Every structure is written in C-alpha cells, then in structure tokens.
Amino acid sequence: MEMLYHQFKRRVFGMAHRIVGATDAEEVAQEVFVRVFRGLAAFRGDSALSTWIYRLTVNASLSHLARRGRRQEVSDDNMPEVPATPEPERDPGLASRIQACLEQLPAGYRAILVLHDVEGLSHEECAAILECRVGTCKSQLHKARARMRDLLGPVGDRT
Amino acid sequence: MSCETIRAQLTAYLDGELEGDRGTPVRGHLRTCEACRQVATDEAALRDGLRALPPVDPPASLWAGVQAQLAAAEVRESQRPAWRRALSRWAPLAPRFGMALGALAAATVLLVWRAHRHDEAVQAPIAERDVVAPPPPAPAPPPPPVVVAPDGDVSAELAAEPARDTADVAQAAAKLLADARGEAAGWPADRKQVFEAHVAELQAAADAAAVGRPRQHAYRALIRYLQRAAIREEVALR
C-alpha cells in the first residue's frame, strides 16, 4: 500500500494542487488515496491503474471545487483582467503567473490543461481519465489554451 | 485559408499532430500572417511554460493523514451493523447481480409462457391434475373416428383434425365440469347459483361457436373458469 502511495503521491498531489489550489490540495490528495486504498479490491482493471487513480484525482478535485462553491471562477461571458504585466522576453515570473491564471480558469479547462500540458499525458489517456471522446479532449484543450492566452497576455518572443 | 481556420488548427499543429502535408497550410499561413504567428508564439510559450512548471512535492503530513483517515474509516466500518457491512461488500457487485437477475427473470417468463402455451394445447392432463376430488367422470361426446384412406392418403385425416381437437377439449371440459360440480355440491346456494350461471353462459358460448378453433377457444375459456373456481375453493379450504 505504501509503495503504491509513493509511486503516485507526486502526480496525485500535483494534479490536485494545480486544480484546487495549494490550500486544499492536501485534503483532496488524502481523499483520493483513501478512495484508492479502499477501492483497490474492487478495481476491475478495466483501465490502467494509473488512469483509474488519475480519474479519481480529477473527479475528487472537481467535486471539491463544486462543494467549495467557487463561483468566482471565470465564466465564458465574464473574463477578468489579468493584473500581471507581461514581460515579453525572458519572463522569470512566468511559472507563478501561469499558476495564477490557471486558478482563474473554469475547472474543466484547468483539468485538461493539467493532464495534457502539465502532466504530459496523451489525448487518449486524458480522454480515458475524463471519460470523454478524444475529439472532445482536443477541442477542450484548444479552448483552454486560448483562454489561458487571453488571461496571460503575450508571453512569447516578440522579436 | 482564413486566420480563423488556421487558429482552430494551431493547437494540433504546435503539438505535432498535423503530420506531413496536413501541416503545410498552417506553416504557409504562419509565414505570411504576423497576427497568427504571434498567437502561435504565445501558445507555444504557454505550452512550454505549463510543461516547465516546477513539480510540487506533497507535504510529509499527507501519508500520515491518509493513514489516519483509513484508520477512522475502519473504526466507522466496525461500528456499522453487520448487515450494512455485508451490503457494502456486495454493493460493487450489484450491477452484475442486476444483470444476472434480469436474465433469470427473462428466462423464467419465457419458460412460464412456453409452459402456458403447452398447457393450453393439452388441457386434459392439467384438468385432471388441478381438480381437487375426482368424482366419477361425466359422459362426454366421443371424438370422431380417424378415417385413413386405403391408399395411405392422409388428407382426410388432416381435414378431420380440427374436429378431433375440438372433441378432445370438449371432453376435458366436460370432465372438469363434472369434477367442479362435485366440489360445488358443498358450496352455499348463492355461490353455487353464480357458478352454474357462469358455466351455462360459457357452455352456451362454446355451443354457439363454430367447430374448430373458435369452439376450442370457447371450451378453453370454460376450462380456465372451472380451474380458477377449483383453485379458489382449494385455497379457501386451507
């Protein structure tokens, strides 16, 4: 059991951290591991163990956000200004700005960005975790990145 | 290609999903369109930035928290009544049980339906089985004799079959009626009157029906009524 924990702790905690934020990440990760260990006997192996664990993580994170009632999330019609000033060339604060913008994204967009871009999972894996079609996954990623670009402002090389 | 079309493909292009010729229109457009090139640069930088986000290490307290929650869950579990524990053990199998039960129910319905059809085809044995006390059988019209032509032609025999079937059913009904009347002898007068009236009605319907299937059908209605009456009596006596 402990071996399984050590194998997945970084990814589970990392995903939860990116999706629900630093404050609640530990609580969500705990919930995920408890569900994993209690549900392991009933795991039927329909998907890879990692896919199952990541699905539990994403679902637990999204449920946590829903419970928390974070209605200040950005909706399609109400996009806030991003206070950070873009630094076109070398941007040492890019990581923290990305994390800040990530937290302003709608939860679904955040989940696909975290799975695909942060964790580097394939579209097929993302689709299995989010229980949607690969095409849906790709279009969600496209929209999520477009929203992030809008929130973040110019980040690329302007030369 | 318009900028809108190109931008819709930009994510796939930057992720290397547009192989070979499929990427050419996007590449060509980006060479000439400053605005789209900037969008592509921003998206690539964003993607790289996301991939380069520093990993977040879980706090040391996470494992302790997990263990504490598992222990608490075990304590809660032990305090639950045994039947609820058993239920939660079986709960994950509920969908499979549901499917198995569904299949079993479907098979049962099919068997009952087939048995019912078979019963209707051979009423006489059922009638004998269901009657409670068998009094001496009442005289019934004998079935018409089977006539087989000397040359082995069975068409005449086949033609006489509906009449024979009707006679069989009529015989079974008559036998059952005699048995049921024997039962009804002990009933209160008003109940016996209702019974006789219903029997007369069904008998008249059978007599009026055309020979063959309609008459067989009418006799079966009479048989069903007599069986029900006998079964009701049997149940009432318990």
Side-chain angles (χ1 to χ4, degrees):
Chain A
M1 198 159 84
E2 197 170 345
M3 214 168 74
L4 193 69
Y5 167 79
H6 286 299
Q7 189 182 343
F8 286 99
K9 65 180 180 184
R10 280 202 175 76
R11 270 202 151 160
V12 167
F13 184 78
M15 282 184 193
H17 184 277
R18 309 283 185 212
I19 298 175
V20 302
T23 319
D24 296 341
E26 186 174 354
E27 185 185 336
V28 171
Q30 266 185 25
E31 185 187 332
V32 171
F33 278 113
V34 169
R35 281 194 201 175
V36 166
F37 294 134
R38 286 174 64 82
L40 206 53
F43 175 62
R44 292 184 299 175
D46 291 343
S47 59
L49 180 65
S50 57
T51 304
W52 177 60
I53 294 177
Y54 300 153
R55 188 184 301 148
L56 285 178
T57 308
V58 171
N59 289 344
S61 301
L62 297 180
S63 302
H64 185 86
L65 287 179
R67 278 201 303 272
R68 205 167 64 183
R70 278 185 60 168
R71 290 291 169 253
Q72 68 267 33
E73 284 172 7
V74 185
S75 75
D76 281 347
D77 305 322
N78 178 27
M79 195 178 299
E81 294 294 323
V82 177
T85 314
E87 296 173 41
E89 291 187 3
R90 293 188 65 81
D91 192 348
L94 183 61
S96 57
R97 284 177 51 220
I98 285 178
Q99 183 60 43
C101 291
L102 207 52
E103 285 172 17
Q104 292 183 57
L105 277 184
Y109 286 172
R110 208 180 308 166
I112 184 65
L113 275 179
V114 168
L115 291 172
H116 188 272
D117 284 353
V118 180
E119 298 297 334
L121 300 180
S122 68
H123 281 300
E124 286 72 21
E125 288 171 304
C126 293
I129 291 166
L130 298 173
E131 294 179 288
C132 65
R133 289 180 298 130
V134 172
T136 310
C137 195
K138 287 181 179 178
S139 74
Q140 285 294 100
L141 179 69
H142 176 70
K143 289 176 190 169
R145 278 196 197 159
R147 178 63 66 82
M148 270 297 273
R149 274 202 326 268
D150 290 339
L151 286 171
L152 205 55
V155 285
D157 192 354
R158 307 270 124 186
T159 53
Chain B
M1 273 187 156
S2 68
C3 292
E4 200 180 336
T5 313
I6 294 297
R7 287 183 193 187
Q9 297 180 43
L10 217 46
T11 301
Y13 173 74
L14 291 172
D15 288 351
E17 291 166 11
L18 300 183
E19 291 169 1
D21 290 348
R22 290 172 63 214
T24 307
V26 181
R27 252 191 315 275
H29 183 89
L30 291 180
R31 285 187 196 284
T32 55
C33 178
E34 171 66 29
C36 286
R37 197 161 56 241
Q38 197 52 61
V39 170
T41 310
D42 283 344
E43 179 156 339
L46 166 66
R47 182 203 56 195
D48 295 344
L50 283 163
R51 281 184 190 162
L53 280 178
V56 277
D57 277 330
S61 57
L62 179 60
W63 178 233
V66 171
Q67 285 179 309
Q69 280 203 28
L70 285 171
E74 265 182 9
V75 170
R76 275 199 307 276
E77 184 77 7
S78 69
Q79 287 166 350
R80 289 166 75 194
W83 67 270
R84 288 195 63 180
R85 286 203 301 276
L87 200 64
S88 59
R89 270 199 303 277
W90 288 99
L93 299 174
R96 286 188 225 179
F97 270 117
M99 284 174 68
L101 279 177
L104 189 65
T108 308
V109 167
L110 187 67
L111 282 174
V112 167
W113 179 72
R114 288 190 62 177
H116 181 69
R117 281 186 60 128
H118 183 256
D119 288 352
E120 284 198 342
V122 281
Q123 283 292 342
I126 290 277
E128 283 167 10
R129 194 179 65 218
D130 282 351
V131 168
V132 180
V146 176
V147 181
V148 181
D151 58 356
D153 180 9
V154 292
S155 46
E157 186 188 354
L158 289 174
E161 196 162 313
R164 261 202 321 281
D165 288 347
T166 306
D168 284 345
V169 178
Q171 194 175 5
K175 184 174 182 305
L176 189 56
L177 179 58
D179 293 349
R181 277 188 174 138
E183 284 296 313
W187 293 356
D190 54 340
R191 189 175 162 194
K192 205 177 348 181
Q193 195 180 354
V194 171
F195 170 74
E196 285 297 346
H198 206 89
V199 166
E201 191 183 322
L202 290 166
Q203 185 75 60
D207 293 341
V211 177
R213 279 184 181 278
R215 189 169 290 181
Q216 288 171 27
H217 193 73
Y219 271 122
R220 282 186 186 127
L222 174 60
I223 287 169
R224 278 197 295 276
Y225 173 69
L226 293 171
Q227 285 173 337
R228 280 202 304 276
I231 288 167
R232 262 209 309 275
E233 179 62 10
E234 199 176 30
V235 171
L237 288 174
R238 279 179 188 160

